[in-house]
Amino acid sequence: MKIGQATIKDIARELNLSASTISRALKDYPGISDETKKKVKEVAEKLNYRPNAIALSLRKSRSYTIGVIIPEVVHFFFSTVISGIEEVAFSRGYNVILTQTNEKLEREKSSINTMLSNQIDGFMISFSKETSDFDHFSQLLEQNYPIVFFDRVPDLDGAVNVIVDDYQGAYDATKHLIEQGYNTIAHLAGPKNLKICIERERGYRDALKAHQMPIREEFILECADGTPEHSKEITRKLIANFADKPDAIFANNDMVAAGAMMACKEAGLRIPEDVGIVGFSDWQICTLVDPSLSSVYQPGFQIGSKATELLLDMIEKKISADQIQSPVVLNTKLIMRKSSKKRE
Amino acid sequence: MKIGQATIKDIARELNLSASTISRALKDYPGISDETKKKVKEVAEKLNYRPNAIALSLRKSRSYTIGVIIPEVVHFFFSTVISGIEEVAFSRGYNVILTQTNEKLEREKSSINTMLSNQIDGFMISFSKETSDFDHFSQLLEQNYPIVFFDRVPDLDGAVNVIVDDYQGAYDATKHLIEQGYNTIAHLAGPKNLKICIERERGYRDALKAHQMPIREEFILECADGTPEHSKEITRKLIANFADKPDAIFANNDMVAAGAMMACKEAGLRIPEDVGIVGFSDWQICTLVDPSLSSVYQPGFQIGSKATELLLDMIEKKISADQIQSPVVLNTKLIMRKSSKKRE
């Protein structure tokens, strides 16, 4: 056996499995048992098989297709990002394929392999809530695949990241509530492994500090799954458990804000007179709920278009990753609506 | 020149263009002028070049990837369909790639070509609002590509279609409004080229007829772009222009219903006391608006999973398209909430 030239067929012969099973096991596809995957990978390593060899050789011919991997397509924010991506991609002659990870690490890895098999020219990735180590990204970066990460980005050398200024957005939202005369501002936070959520919480804390207001840990509650139902439940308890209830809520996203709004109304509290509420993302629901919801606008379209410009410039060798000042940070904007305007 | 063996290089030589330009022109990719596309296609026809030859040959090896082409990923309905697709696909060892057409026919065609280049095993398609002729689908069907159409389906021989019972859903919604004591029920309709919208309107009309209620054409208004803003405007006029205003509205979708709700509230009408409102699709916003919105639930997840089961059975040759009784019709369900319950 010549070193470095083992094929899938060699592995198949060694294990008495079909070439198709070997191929799928190497790509971490679903439908193959973990045990088989393990065996296949061990033999692949023993024979010095290089699973990305095909993808690498195919890369020499351009497919004019870029692959986008996102947590969930249903998110209004991601859909605006996709619009920005497509706008730039189509105008420069590229097509776009998408996969969603459903917030699962395993699907993220398998999406990367699907994309590799599909000869895409480059990746745009926003990672899942489950992703906490970045080895699968490091491998791609080491092989010089053009990748741009956006919104949820890894802390990796050489990664090109496009993000929004979550810190400033949260700071502005909290400052606005303070200026409207609210005294006790609670925060419904997001999951702690996402940097965007940590940044939003940090902006909230710093705004309170800057205005000499106490930070009360009992009023900072994690609403990790980000649904209105969960937030409604948390807000109910928040209202019931404290003699000095919070009179304002800054929520990590608009769905969470909408849930909080429902719980407040249910408790007979008037919005914005008794409780002020501000969300984050400025989704379409902000103008559909009653009263209309103040929120921090994230420039989704611009994130998508900026990230795509960078990616295509990298693919077309107009620029290399190390020439890009990363992260690229885009500004948020507070949109004030009825839910937080106690003072006119 | 041997008939049937012309390559992209032959066309490129004839036209003095690069092979890459020829390839992209043949695939209707964006970024190539219509004039060039026309020239390339003429020469390709003259030389008897067959653009799908590569894709066809590649099809012999399974990629374990299916391609989904949908109008817009932001639709809550489509996102539930995608979940159903992924559930079945992953459990049977397939990955899923998506493209969105943004309701544009050109992008639909270019998505099909991207997918073909990417060696997918089969297609799931819900077509764009712009699509009115189906030649691009007929071509795929003639070449025996496994395809399942869902929700927005073409009237084509040999097509396997999975749909929901839009007619019955609309009928049930209208009947419910009648039974709640509403007398003059308006309909905010969808675009006329989508069969789903025609079916919903037909269900509305038949329910009125069956209950000996007059059909008043001036109360059937098209809200073609389906946004709350547009619907709000139309509803404002509907309320202002008639002495005998409608006292109920059945809307083609939930966004349109939400817009109608806003216009009614703005005019000082109480919901459900003065005006009853029912939407269609049962999106997440139904429980976020105030009062909560009655709507017709569409089994998105089941559409996705059923369509995928059929597609994978076709790919794996367990069944052929002509053995499937098409269309496969799934039931809707009326979800009654506050917006239409005048009687308790």
Side-chain angles (χ1 to χ4, degrees):
Chain A
M1 179 82 46
K2 282 184 244 166
I3 295 295
Q5 297 202 356
T7 67
I8 283 180
K9 282 185 187 161
D10 298 324
I11 307 171
R13 208 176 302 121
E14 180 100 4
L15 285 167
N16 203 16
L17 289 169
S18 73
S20 141
T21 303
I22 303 298
S23 161
R24 292 154 82 194
L26 288 169
K27 288 174 181 169
D28 263 327
Y29 273 29
I32 307 278
S33 74
D34 285 347
E35 200 193 346
T36 305
K37 284 183 185 172
K38 193 163 163 273
K39 260 196 254 167
V40 169
K41 285 175 188 174
E42 280 166 8
V43 173
E45 197 165 342
K46 193 181 83 183
L47 300 180
N48 197 19
Y49 170 79
R50 297 188 5 188
N52 287 313
I54 300 168
L56 280 169
S57 77
L58 286 171
R59 263 187 67 214
K60 282 167 198 158
S61 72
R62 200 80 65 75
S63 67
Y64 294 97
T65 301
I66 58 174
V68 180
I69 299 176
I70 49 175
E72 276 193 272
V73 291
V74 69
H75 274 216
F76 184 68
F77 169 69
F78 286 119
S79 76
T80 60
V81 176
I82 293 170
S83 299
I85 291 172
E86 291 185 334
E87 185 74 17
V88 172
F90 290 144
S91 78
R92 287 175 66 168
Y94 287 76
N95 276 295
V96 176
I97 58 176
L98 310 166
T99 63
Q100 65 171 0
T101 61
N102 266 317
E103 304 285 8
K104 302 224 179 313
L105 173 61
E106 195 204 348
R107 289 201 184 174
E108 187 168 282
K109 289 181 179 174
S110 123
S111 286
I112 288 176
N113 285 311
T114 305
M115 296 272 183
L116 285 175
S117 324
N118 285 335
Q119 314 174 39
I120 52 141
D121 294 338
F123 284 101
M124 314 257 287
I125 300 175
S126 190
F127 62 71
S128 84
K129 282 186 190 165
E130 276 186 13
T131 306
S132 54
D133 88 71
F134 304 130
D135 286 354
H136 52 309
F137 300 146
S138 302
Q139 278 173 28
L140 291 172
L141 289 172
E142 277 162 22
Q143 291 170 22
N144 283 320
Y145 264 101
I147 313 179
V148 175
F149 297 94
F150 61 95
D151 195 49
R152 301 190 192 164
V153 301
D155 215 352
L156 281 177
D157 272 353
V160 175
N161 295 339
V162 178
I163 55 175
V164 294
D165 198 342
D166 289 287
Y167 171 84
Q168 191 62 44
Y171 187 101
D172 293 346
T174 311
K175 180 164 169 268
H176 161 66
L177 286 167
I178 297 168
E179 287 171 351
Q180 287 291 316
Y182 297 105
N183 292 310
T184 314
I185 303 167
H187 178 45
L188 298 178
K192 300 284 181 204
N193 67 323
L194 291 185
K195 207 176 164 207
I196 53 171
C197 304
I198 296 169
E199 285 299 292
R200 289 175 199 175
E201 184 173 327
R202 196 168 66 86
Y204 156 82
R205 287 176 183 266
D206 280 4
L208 292 182
K209 265 187 243 163
H211 293 78
Q212 288 83 43
M213 291 173 69
I215 292 167
R216 295 181 51 179
E217 300 298 334
E218 71 273 28
F219 288 158
I220 302 176
L221 296 168
E222 189 171 327
C223 182
D225 75 353
T227 62
E229 292 73 25
H230 188 196
S231 149
K232 197 171 164 181
E233 213 172 285
I234 292 174
T235 308
R236 269 187 199 137
K237 288 182 195 152
L238 192 64
I239 297 170
N241 290 353
F242 297 96
D244 55 340
K245 298 186 227 318
D247 64 357
I249 294 170
F250 166 55
N252 179 65
N253 75 40
D254 291 333
M255 284 295 176
V256 169
M261 194 178 259
M262 287 161 78
C264 290
K265 284 163 106 172
E266 191 186 75
L269 298 168
R270 293 165 309 159
I271 304 163
E273 295 82 352
D274 303 324
V275 183
I277 300 181
V278 180
F280 206 108
S281 291
D282 196 39
W283 292 352
Q284 200 169 14
I285 60 155
C286 293
T287 56
L288 299 175
V289 294
D290 187 10
S292 58
L293 178 65
S294 300
S295 188
V296 178
Y297 168 75
Q298 290 176 294
F301 187 90
Q302 288 88 326
I303 292 171
S305 55
K306 182 69 200 172
T308 309
E309 278 167 17
L310 292 172
L311 182 71
L312 298 186
D313 285 351
M314 284 159 66
I315 290 170
E316 294 171 359
K317 314 251 185 251
K318 291 179 184 157
I319 197 168
S320 68
D322 54 16
Q323 291 174 287
I324 296 167
Q325 189 83 29
S326 177
V328 176
V329 182
L330 301 176
N331 291 331
T332 55
K333 187 174 189 299
L334 177 66
I335 310 290
M336 297 177 210
R337 296 198 182 87
K338 288 186 187 159
S339 68
S340 64
K341 285 212 243 171
K342 193 152 66 165
R343 296 179 181 156
E344 273 313 315
Chain B
M1 179 82 47
K2 280 185 247 164
I3 296 293
Q5 296 202 356
T7 66
I8 284 179
K9 282 185 187 161
D10 299 323
I11 307 171
R13 208 176 302 122
E14 181 100 1
L15 286 167
N16 203 17
L17 291 168
S18 74
S20 141
T21 304
I22 304 297
S23 162
R24 293 155 80 196
L26 287 170
K27 287 173 180 171
D28 263 328
Y29 272 30
I32 307 277
S33 76
D34 285 347
E35 202 193 346
T36 305
K37 283 181 185 171
K38 192 163 164 274
K39 260 195 256 168
V40 169
K41 284 174 189 174
E42 280 167 6
V43 173
E45 197 165 342
K46 194 181 83 184
L47 301 180
N48 197 18
Y49 171 78
R50 296 187 7 187
N52 285 313
I54 300 167
L56 279 169
S57 77
L58 286 170
R59 265 186 66 212
K60 282 166 197 158
S61 72
R62 200 79 64 76
S63 68
Y64 293 97
T65 301
I66 59 174
V68 179
I69 299 176
I70 49 174
E72 276 192 272
V73 292
V74 67
H75 275 215
F76 183 68
F77 169 69
F78 285 118
S79 75
T80 60
V81 175
I82 293 169
S83 301
I85 291 171
E86 292 184 335
E87 184 75 16
V88 172
F90 291 144
S91 78
R92 287 176 65 169
Y94 288 75
N95 275 295
V96 176
I97 58 175
L98 310 167
T99 63
Q100 66 171 358
T101 61
N102 266 317
E103 304 284 9
K104 302 222 180 313
L105 173 61
E106 196 204 347
R107 289 202 184 172
E108 187 168 282
K109 290 182 180 173
S110 122
S111 287
I112 288 175
N113 285 311
T114 306
M115 297 273 182
L116 284 175
S117 324
N118 286 335
Q119 313 174 38
I120 53 142
D121 293 339
F123 284 101
M124 313 256 288
I125 300 176
S126 190
F127 62 71
S128 84
K129 282 186 189 164
E130 275 185 14
T131 306
S132 54
D133 88 70
F134 304 129
D135 286 355
H136 52 309
F137 301 146
S138 302
Q139 279 174 28
L140 291 172
L141 289 172
E142 277 161 25
Q143 289 169 21
N144 284 319
Y145 264 99
I147 313 179
V148 174
F149 297 94
F150 62 94
D151 194 50
R152 301 190 191 165
V153 302
D155 213 354
L156 282 176
D157 271 354
V160 175
N161 295 339
V162 178
I163 55 176
V164 294
D165 198 341
D166 289 287
Y167 172 84
Q168 192 62 45
Y171 188 101
D172 293 346
T174 311
K175 181 165 170 266
H176 160 67
L177 286 167
I178 297 169
E179 286 171 352
Q180 287 290 317
Y182 297 105
N183 292 309
T184 313
I185 302 166
H187 178 46
L188 298 178
K192 301 284 182 203
N193 67 322
L194 291 185
K195 209 178 162 201
I196 53 170
C197 304
I198 297 168
E199 286 298 292
R200 289 176 198 175
E201 185 174 326
R202 196 168 67 84
Y204 156 82
R205 286 173 183 268
D206 281 4
L208 291 183
K209 265 187 242 164
H211 292 80
Q212 287 83 44
M213 290 173 70
I215 292 166
R216 295 180 53 179
E217 299 298 333
E218 69 274 27
F219 289 158
I220 302 176
L221 296 168
E222 189 172 327
C223 183
D225 75 354
T227 62
E229 292 74 25
H230 188 195
S231 150
K232 196 171 166 183
E233 213 172 285
I234 292 174
T235 308
R236 268 187 198 140
K237 288 183 195 153
L238 193 63
I239 297 169
N241 289 351
F242 297 96
D244 55 339
K245 296 187 230 317
D247 64 356
I249 294 170
F250 166 55
N252 179 66
N253 75 40
D254 291 332
M255 283 296 176
V256 169
M261 193 179 259
M262 287 161 80
C264 290
K265 284 162 106 173
E266 191 186 74
L269 299 168
R270 294 164 307 159
I271 304 164
E273 295 83 351
D274 303 324
V275 183
I277 300 182
V278 180
F280 206 107
S281 292
D282 196 38
W283 292 353
Q284 200 169 13
I285 60 155
C286 294
T287 56
L288 298 176
V289 294
D290 188 12
S292 57
L293 179 64
S294 300
S295 188
V296 178
Y297 167 75
Q298 291 176 293
F301 187 91
Q302 288 88 327
I303 292 171
S305 56
K306 181 69 200 170
T308 309
E309 277 167 17
L310 292 173
L311 183 71
L312 298 186
D313 285 351
M314 284 159 64
I315 290 170
E316 295 170 359
K317 314 247 184 259
K318 292 181 184 157
I319 196 167
S320 67
D322 53 15
Q323 290 175 290
I324 298 167
Q325 189 85 27
S326 174
V328 176
V329 183
L330 301 175
N331 291 332
T332 55
K333 188 174 189 302
L334 177 66
I335 310 290
M336 296 176 210
R337 297 196 182 88
K338 288 186 188 160
S339 69
S340 64
K341 285 214 245 171
K342 192 152 68 166
R343 295 177 181 156
E344 272 313 314

